[in-house]
Amino acid sequence: MQPPPWRSPRWGRGARGLPRPLAGQAPPPAPSFPRHGGCPSLKTTVPEMPCVASGPPANGLLGWRQRLQWGERGRGFLRGDSRCCCCCCCRPAVGGMSRRRRRSAGSGARGGAELGGGAKQEKRLRIHRALARDPVDVAVLRAEALSPGGLLTDELRRKVWPKLLGVNACRLPPKPGRDVRQNHKDYNQVLLDVCRSSRRFPPGMRAEQRQILQEQLVDVILCVLRAHPELHYYQGYHDVAVTLLLVAGERMAIALLERLSTLHLRDFMDPTMDSTKHILNYLMPLLQQESPRLHDFMLRAEVGTIFALSWLITWYGHVLSPSHHILRLYDFFLASHPLMAVYFATVVVLYREEEVLACDCDLASVHQLLSHIPPDLPYESLIARAHQLFQQLPPTELAKKAALQHHKSIAIGSFLDFQQAASCQRPDEVLRRQQQQREHLGPGRTKTDPLRPPMEHSPLVKAAVWGLTATLGAAALAVTQTALEWAPEFLLQLF
C-alpha cells in the first residue's frame, strides 16, 4: 500500500505537525471528514452513541467505556453527541461546541478560576502525596478541596471523598438485596421522588441505563434509612444521594451517604422542622453583619429564609443544573463545617444585592427572585468569599451575637470529634493489605501490621509488664505476712 504523499520525505511538517509543502510542491489533499458524527478513520457515519456495554456493572461503578459514552470529562457529565470511540478526532466537539468555545463560554460561570495544565498537574500530585501518607494528610485534602478547581476529576473524588468523611474504602457495605424495600414506611415516597429525578442524570443517557441507576438510587436511600431508624427521610434527600451514586458507585454511595446523614445532614433528618429552622436562622444575622441595608429590606418584605430551604437540604443539587457546579460545591461542603452551606447562601444573596434592592419590597417579588439561582454565578469567587466569611464570623461568635444556641445542633456539636477521628486514617494501600491478610488468615485470626513494631518486641512494654508483676508479687507477700501475724490471735478469740 502506497503511503500518503505527505508521509514521503519530500513533504515537511508545520508548527502543529500538519503537512506543509516544500518549495515548488503543491499542497497535499485535505482529508475528508464526514459530517454529523463521521469518523475519518472509518470513513463512515457512526450513530449518536457508540456501541458499548448496555449498562453499568453489577457493583454500580460506571466503567470507563460508559463514562466515555456519556461524555464525562472530570467536571461532570457533558452532553452526549455524535462521536466515535475509536479515535480522538471527534472528541473535541461535544454538544456542537468546540473545546475552546466551551471554555470561553464557561469562564464567566467559573469566575475566571480555570486552572492551567501545569497547575492541575501540581494539584493532582499534592493530592496523591496526601493520600499516600500514613496517616493520611486530611488537612491537605481539605485545603485542596477548598482551593480553586476543587478535586478536579471524579477519579480523585472517589479517593478523596471517603477520606474527608472517614469512610474505609476497603470495608464497604454489601450490595443491598431486595429485602431492603420490604415493609419500609418511606418506600413509596422515595420511589416517587426518584422517578421525578430524571433531570439529575447525565443528558443523553439511554433510558435503560437511567432506570438501572434509579433502581440503585432507591436501594441506596432505603439501605441507609433501614440501618438508622432514627433518621427520617425528607424530600430532597435523593438529590444528595444521586450525586454520590453517579460519582462513587452503589456500595461507596451507601457508605458516604450513611456518614453524611449522621454528620452534615443530621439536623435535616429529625422528625420535626425545628432543627432545620434553627440552621436557617443563621442566614439573617450573617446578612445583617455584611449588609445592614439588604437585611433591613428583607425584613420589611417579610421574606424570611424559606427561599433557601431547598438550597441547604439538597446542597444546591436541586436548584443547579450544570453537574460540574454541583460537584464543585460538594467538594467545598465535604471539606468544610456543616454550616458552610448557610455561608454560601449568604454570599449568593449578597452577590445579588442590587437585584434584590431593585425589586418591589414585598414577599412575593423578593421570594420569586431569590428562589431561582442564576446559572452564570462566579462560583469560585463565591466559594472563596464564603470561606473568608466563615473565618471572620465563625459559628461560635455568630451564635453569641445572634443569641443562637448552637449546641442544639447535632451536626455542629459533633463536628470537632469527627474532625479528630478523620485525621487518624490510614492509606488505602495499607487498608487493602490488611484486608487481604484478614481474608488469608481466616476469621478470628489477626496478623501484626508490618508497618508497626509488634507490641511484644517493644522494650517499654516489657518494662511495664515486669514492673506490674513485681508490684503484684510484693503486695501478695505483704498480705500473706499480715495474715500469719494476726491469724493465731483471731483463732484464740474464737475458741
Side-chain angles (χ1 to χ4, degrees), residues 78-140:
L78 305 177
R79 296 184 180 275
D81 193 29
S82 300
R83 52 201 173 94
C84 64
C85 59
C86 58
C87 64
C88 60
C89 56
C90 304
R91 293 175 192 171
V94 180
M97 184 183 297
S98 65
R99 181 177 300 176
R100 182 176 301 177
R101 291 178 58 190
R102 288 202 316 275
R103 184 173 300 174
S104 61
S107 60
R110 294 183 178 88
E114 185 74 19
L115 297 177
K120 288 183 179 180
Q121 189 66 23
E122 293 178 359
K123 190 168 191 176
R124 290 191 185 97
L125 183 59
R126 291 193 298 268
I127 293 175
H128 284 297
R129 286 176 178 174
L131 290 171
R133 290 193 181 101
D134 192 7
V136 177
D137 198 340
V138 182
V140 173

Side-chain angles (χ1 to χ4, degrees), residues 128 131 141 154-163 428:
H128 284 297
L131 290 171
L141 297 180
D154 286 353
E155 180 183 0
L156 289 177
R157 291 185 177 98
R158 283 190 288 271
K159 297 178 181 179
V160 177
W161 282 6
K163 299 302 180 183
D428 287 343

